[in-house]
Amino acid sequence: MLIGLLGFFTVMTFLAVVVGIVRGEPGATPSLVLLGLVVALALAVRARSRT
């Protein structure tokens, strides 16, 4: 369930970052949030594969 939730928010954040870049409004905050979500998702997947 955690992986699904993190995956959903990662995809939504990724789309928001891409739209911001296309519109010419790149921001550090959305990019850092995306980085954090990707790291959290990777850690969750890694923990799941270990069990």
Side-chain angles (χ1 to χ4, degrees):
M1 188 168 159
L2 176 65
I3 293 172
L5 226 91
L6 285 172
F8 173 76
F9 284 110
T10 301
V11 169
M12 291 295 116
T13 306
F14 176 76
L15 292 174
V17 168
V18 168
V19 167
I21 290 172
V22 169
R23 288 186 178 175
E25 305 167 355
T29 304
S31 298
L32 290 175
V33 170
L34 179 60
L35 177 64
L37 285 171
V38 167
V39 168
L41 181 60
L43 290 174
V45 168
R46 188 171 178 191
R48 174 72 176 152
S49 67
R50 287 187 178 183
T51 58

